[in-house]
Amino acid sequence: TMSPITPQPTPVLNRSAEVLGGTLVFTGTRVPFQTFVDYLKAGERLADFLEDFPTVTRDQVVAVLENAQQSLVRETNATLVR
């Protein structure tokens, strides 16, 4: 019996030479990830970002934040193990 194929999750961020010259953007949009970072650094609310960039979904932003959290936890754990 063949095991079922698990679909790979779609990356939340994407980089392509054809989209804004290779700038890291939210997948399926032309919205740079850096724009989201800039909003947060300026103290803007998530709701404002989503309103200003309706092609980015709340799920995409949550996934980016969760991925960042997981990366930070992994890095911290790796540092503590040494």
Side-chain angles (χ1 to χ4, degrees), residues 52-68:
D52 290 346
F53 300 95
T55 57
V56 178
T57 68
R58 182 176 196 83
D59 287 345
Q60 285 177 303
V61 172
V62 169
V64 163
L65 294 172
E66 287 174 345
N67 289 341

Side-chain angles (χ1 to χ4, degrees), residues 1-47:
T1 342
M2 294 176 76
S3 52
I5 296 173
T6 305
Q8 295 299 313
T10 302
V12 181
L13 299 174
N14 191 29
R15 185 185 312 264
S16 167
E18 292 82 38
V19 179
L20 299 177
T23 299
L24 190 63
V25 297
F26 286 92
T27 300
T29 76
R30 296 179 65 81
V31 180
F33 172 66
Q34 186 61 49
T35 301
F36 173 63
V37 172
D38 293 343
Y39 262 65
L40 295 180
K41 287 168 76 175
E44 297 290 340
R45 298 176 325 124
L46 173 58

